[in-house]
Amino acid sequence: MAFALLRRRRSKVAGAGLALPLPPGAGALGCEVLDPLGQPMGGADVTVSAVDIHHVMARGTTDPYGFFLAVLPPGRYSLMVAAEGLTPHRETVEVVGDTALPAERIQLEPARQLDLPLPGTWLFDPPHTAIRFIAKHVGMANVHGRFERFEGGIQVAQQMTDSWVSVRIDASSITTGNLTRDNHLRSADFLDVERFPYIDFASTRFAYRGGSKWTLQGTLTMHGVTRSVGLETTYLGTVNGGYGEELRCAALARAELHREDYTLNWRSMLARGIAVVGPTVQLELDVQAMYRTHDTPTPPE
């Protein structure tokens, strides 16, 4: 009986609308993802971000029937659906309070071989780049945050594997939407921004993983400690666009960091009664970079 109800509920999601109750004032969006043959695609990655603040509001994978559902506050959101070997789907959607949008049917297409960026210098475009993180708050829900000030670039070599990336983040620009928590994260208990004002990443090697996937091996320096880290990166291609029709490339990179690798000891903070985030942090860089022939990012040391 439960499975029959679930099938009927899914039918509602795929058709006229959602039959699920919503919290007062909330809205919902859903999508049904199909593979290139038109079959339901389970396991596709779905990310929903608030457009105005570059903040990830929902993330997950489609169920075995290809469905994904998110209940959200009203606003404009960027919806991205991606799967290995297929062209990512991006669009902007408007979520209205007390309304469940009909589930959109999205059919992913085989990924064409993307042209690699031209050799030369590509500098991050801050208005179209976001550096975000997600951490589990001890005993509570996830904490979402971002860094608002940073600079970086990519030096693309004739052979892509010889290229390198350099990123510098202003540690004091961390924000989670809670001033008390942000001040605590900037304090000596966590990032200690007075002593360590920057977080730096410098790549050491580009490793090709097939399709549009790369791993950027490099070093991350934070809180005065340097550790090796790999950024699992999806290259999204190169386009002419934006003001002045600049040539741009885009990529999405993720890594899991362990806070104790950087001497941010969460156990000692718990012992002192300090409410903290958990021992692992998910880092995400959503990058757009502009082609520049006259500027060069600082090379890794």
Side-chain angles (χ1 to χ4, degrees):
M1 180 64 180
F3 287 112
L5 289 173
L6 185 60
R7 283 197 293 271
R8 287 200 293 271
R9 178 174 291 180
R10 292 190 188 282
S11 177
K12 277 284 189 181
V13 171
L18 296 167
L20 301 177
L22 295 174
L29 68 86
C31 60
E32 178 188 8
V33 180
L34 307 177
D35 66 17
L37 299 178
Q39 298 301 308
M41 184 168 189
D45 295 318
V46 182
T47 304
V48 182
S49 304
V51 169
D52 295 334
I53 59 174
H54 301 288
H55 189 109
V56 174
M57 301 296 289
R59 176 186 287 132
T61 58
T62 54
D63 67 18
Y65 298 92
F67 285 97
F68 175 85
L69 171 68
V71 178
L72 300 162
R76 292 177 67 242
Y77 294 92
S78 173
L79 171 69
M80 186 176 80
V81 182
E84 181 67 33
L86 302 178
T87 300
H89 173 89
R90 287 179 180 263
E91 66 174 290
T92 300
V93 295
E94 186 84 26
V95 173
V96 179
D98 300 313
T99 302
L101 298 176
E104 180 183 4
R105 180 168 288 180
I106 297 170
Q107 184 166 354
L108 299 181
E109 300 297 334
R112 64 178 179 84
Q113 188 64 39
L114 297 174
D115 294 331
L116 293 175
L118 292 173
T121 300
W122 299 75
L123 297 182
F124 287 7
D125 180 20
H128 298 96
T129 295
I131 299 179
R132 302 180 284 248
F133 62 87
I134 302 175
K136 177 70 72 176
H137 193 287
V138 172
M140 300 179 70
N142 287 337
V143 174
H144 295 257
R146 68 187 188 277
F147 292 95
E148 297 186 317
R149 294 187 297 276
F150 51 84
E151 59 183 16
I154 311 161
Q155 190 67 31
V156 178
Q158 291 292 337
Q159 295 292 326
M160 193 67 192
T161 52
D162 295 330
S163 304
W164 52 264
V165 172
S166 178
V167 184
R168 168 157 282 192
I169 301 169
D170 181 344
S172 68
S173 71
I174 191 170
T175 178
T176 64
N178 181 302
L179 182 59
T180 300
R181 179 168 57 211
D182 293 347
N183 287 335
H184 194 193
L185 290 173
R186 297 180 186 116
S187 74
D189 281 333
F190 287 88
L191 294 176
D192 198 358
V193 300
E194 292 294 327
R195 294 177 60 203
F196 309 108
Y198 299 111
I199 300 170
D200 291 304
F201 174 79
S203 71
T204 54
R205 186 168 67 93
F206 274 54
Y208 183 54
R209 300 303 185 197
S212 59
K213 303 294 186 182
W214 295 75
T215 297
L216 272 63
Q217 298 291 349
T219 58
L220 183 71
T221 300
M222 179 171 63
H223 201 250
V225 177
T226 299
R227 291 283 188 267
S228 296
V229 65
L231 293 179
E232 299 305 322
T233 304
T234 301
Y235 173 56
L236 301 177
T238 303
V239 296
N240 282 309
Y243 299 107
E245 295 298 313
E246 304 102 334
L247 187 62
R248 295 169 178 263
C249 69
L252 186 67
R254 295 189 177 101
E256 181 176 271
L257 307 180
H258 296 268
R259 293 201 303 109
E260 289 191 349
D261 287 346
Y262 298 92
T263 66
L264 305 174
N265 194 315
W266 68 286
R267 291 187 179 89
S268 67
M269 295 177 199
L270 279 177
R272 291 157 53 196
I274 300 174
V276 298
V277 295
T280 61
V281 177
Q282 304 297 321
L283 180 67
E284 179 179 276
L285 289 80
D286 192 348
V287 173
Q288 280 194 30
M290 298 183 295
Y291 188 58
R292 291 289 184 264
T293 58
H294 56 281
D295 296 319
T296 302
T298 303
E301 296 180 356

